[in-house]
């Protein structure tokens, strides 16, 4: 009996230690996302180097046009077939405008290239240079934005010390000829140096005058952006006279890379964790929407996507950017 009991105990121990065969589970079927299916890729330099300002690429006809990098001799453009990735043409410039291309914009068949203190306009159909302007010897600083509105390209340049310019000039250049004139100039104010954004334009329905609107984010190398106020300007483009100015409409610095946004008779600007709407004919504040929960880690510093075509989004849909 004892032997039988011992046998049963041993048998139970053996069977309890048996590991059952694993279950075989079929792998899930993965459906490939083809929204971002890679069609082609190409290295623009060998050995590989960073290609500057590639976010400013332009598309003309079936060409994907991008720039060379800082190490390339002279100014360089590459055009690739957007369907195959094959290089269609390559362009090198060795004229009076030097440096590298920071921004590009297209108006009809004309490509305007901004190197900071210099501008070049190219006829893309013939790849002939229409005009080039070099401000190296007359300016100390230059803004990043280059905007084309109508038949003109707008940008700003400054004079004086690079870190503390005496005056900033908003200029416009006729796209097809390069003819230039000064729209408006903003001098230093006490300890504050001028830093201008790209402009937006509103047409007065009564007088038909164009009102150009831009931001001056006043700067001082000894002050943080949180302690640097921002102004909003409206200038009559025909008379070159100031229509109104909102001084220190927000108490912090805001981004100069994007122009104010026009919607109907209102102009929208972002800054200090708020979105502002001003009535353009009078310069009076329509409304201000604050987003206190973003403080102190974020602010509205990109107004490029506040509006899309004629659609006015709810404020909750407006993007915020960390700063």
């Amino acid at each position: 009996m004892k032997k039988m009991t011992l046998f049963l105990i041993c048998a139970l121990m053996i069977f309890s230690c048996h590991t059952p065969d694993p279950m075989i589970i079929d792998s899930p079927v993965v459906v490939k996302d083809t929204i971002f299916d890679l069609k082609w890729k190409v290295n623009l330099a060998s050995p590989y180097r960073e290609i500057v300002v590639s976010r400013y690429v332009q598309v003309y006809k079936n060409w994907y046009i991008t720039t060379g990098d800082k190490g390339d001799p002279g100014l360089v453009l590459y055009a690739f077939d957007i369907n195959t990735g094959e290089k269609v043409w390559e362009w090198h410039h060795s004229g009076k405008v030097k440096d590298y291309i920071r921004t590009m914009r297209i108006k009809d068949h004309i490509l305007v290239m901004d190197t900071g203190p210099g501008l070049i306009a190219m006829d893309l159909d013939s790849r002939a240079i229409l005009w080039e302007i070099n401000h190296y010897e007359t300016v100390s600083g230059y803004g990043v934005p280059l905007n084309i509105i109508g038949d003109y390209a707008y940008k700003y340049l400054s004079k004086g010390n690079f870190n503390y310019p005496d005056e900033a000039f908003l200029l416009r250049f006729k796209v097809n000829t390069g003819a230039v004139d000064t729209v408006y100039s903003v001098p230093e104010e006490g300890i504050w140096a001028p830093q201008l954004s790209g402009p937006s334009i509103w047409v007065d329905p009564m007088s038909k005058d164009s009102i150009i609107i831009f931001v001056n984010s006043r700067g001082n190398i000894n002050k943080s952006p949180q302690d640097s106020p921002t102004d909003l300007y409206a200038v009559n483009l025909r008379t070159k006279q100031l229509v109104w100015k909102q001084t220190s409409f927000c108490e912090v610095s805001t981004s100069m890379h994007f122009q104010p946004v026009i919607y109907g008779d209102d102009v929208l600007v972002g800054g200090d964790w708020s979105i502002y709407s001003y009535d353009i004919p009078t310069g009076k504040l329509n409304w201000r929407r604050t987003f206190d929960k973003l403080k102190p880690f974020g602010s509205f510093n990109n107004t490029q996507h506040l509006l899309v075509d004629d659609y006015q989004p709810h404020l909750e849909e407006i993007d915020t950017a960390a700063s």
Side-chain angles (χ1 to χ4, degrees):
M1 185 65 182
K2 291 181 179 180
K3 291 182 179 181
M4 180 60 69
T5 302
L6 182 61
F7 174 78
L8 290 173
I9 293 173
C10 292
L12 288 172
M13 292 177 64
I14 293 172
F15 282 109
S16 66
C17 294
H18 175 70
T19 303
D21 294 335
M23 295 180 61
I24 299 176
I25 302 175
D26 293 334
S27 301
V29 177
V30 178
V31 179
K32 185 179 180 182
D33 183 356
T34 58
I35 295 177
F36 298 105
D37 194 23
L38 179 65
K39 294 188 66 173
W40 55 266
K41 67 176 182 178
V42 61
N43 282 342
L44 299 184
S46 181
Y48 178 77
R49 295 177 299 192
E50 179 184 2
I51 304 301
V52 298
V53 296
S54 58
R55 63 193 175 116
Y56 291 113
V57 298
Q58 299 291 309
V59 174
Y60 179 70
K61 295 182 177 178
N62 66 331
W63 297 338
Y64 179 93
I65 303 172
T66 187
T67 64
D69 89 355
K70 293 182 180 180
D72 288 323
L75 301 175
V76 182
L77 286 180
Y78 302 100
F80 297 89
D81 187 293
I82 59 175
N83 296 308
T84 66
E86 294 182 5
K87 186 165 67 174
V88 181
W89 52 264
E90 180 177 331
W91 174 81
H92 292 257
H93 181 59
S94 57
K96 59 184 178 181
V97 174
K98 309 293 183 183
D99 211 348
Y100 62 94
I101 300 169
R102 300 169 184 268
T103 313
M104 298 188 295
R105 301 285 188 231
I106 289 179
K107 167 66 176 178
D108 298 328
H109 62 285
I110 299 175
L111 175 68
V112 181
M113 297 165 274
D114 181 10
T115 68
L119 286 177
I120 307 172
M122 170 195 284
D123 184 323
L124 285 172
D125 292 329
S126 64
R127 291 195 287 286
I129 299 302
L130 300 177
W131 53 268
E132 60 179 310
I133 297 176
N134 187 11
H135 292 97
Y136 271 105
E137 297 178 357
T138 58
V139 301
S140 61
Y142 35 84
V144 173
L146 172 71
N147 306 105
I148 292 182
I149 306 174
D151 295 327
Y152 292 89
Y154 293 83
K155 71 165 299 172
Y156 93 83
L157 299 169
S158 59
K159 292 184 178 181
N161 184 279
F162 181 82
N163 291 319
Y164 193 83
D166 302 326
E167 195 168 10
F169 299 85
L170 180 61
L171 307 177
R172 68 172 185 171
F173 302 81
K174 194 71 177 291
V175 170
N176 60 351
T177 66
V180 59
D181 69 314
T182 300
V183 174
Y184 199 73
S185 65
V186 178
E188 62 178 346
E189 296 183 27
I191 65 170
W192 302 109
Q195 302 176 97
L196 308 185
S197 74
S200 295
I201 293 180
W202 173 79
V203 178
D204 188 319
M206 301 297 292
S207 67
K208 305 304 180 183
D209 280 354
S210 293
I211 306 300
I212 193 162
I213 302 172
F214 59 92
V215 166
N216 175 27
S217 182
R218 290 185 273 166
N220 185 302
I221 59 174
N222 297 315
K223 298 285 187 179
S224 68
Q226 290 83 356
D227 299 318
S228 303
T230 300
D231 305 331
L232 185 64
Y233 285 76
V235 174
N236 187 302
L237 193 54
R238 177 179 60 84
T239 65
K240 310 293 179 66
Q241 298 298 310
L242 182 68
V243 178
W244 52 260
K245 173 187 175 184
Q246 285 290 342
T247 302
S248 301
F249 78 89
C250 71
E251 295 300 323
V252 303
S253 177
T254 191
S255 175
M256 296 297 95
H257 289 259
F258 303 98
Q259 64 267 41
V261 175
I262 305 294
Y263 184 72
D265 294 335
D266 302 334
V267 56
L268 301 182
V269 286
D272 67 1
W273 307 277
S274 302
I275 299 296
Y276 295 82
S277 170
Y278 284 94
D279 180 68
I280 298 175
T282 65
K284 294 181 179 180
L285 179 67
N286 292 319
W287 50 262
R288 174 189 179 189
R289 171 66 184 271
T290 61
F291 296 82
D292 291 329
K293 291 182 179 180
L294 296 179
K295 297 179 180 180
F297 303 110
S299 67
F300 289 93
N301 58 15
N302 182 342
T303 58
Q304 188 179 30
H305 305 297
L306 288 180
L307 300 175
V308 179
D309 297 327
D310 293 327
Y311 170 66
Q312 185 173 16
H314 297 293
L315 287 176
E316 288 79 3
E317 300 174 8
I318 297 174
D319 290 337
T320 65
S323 68

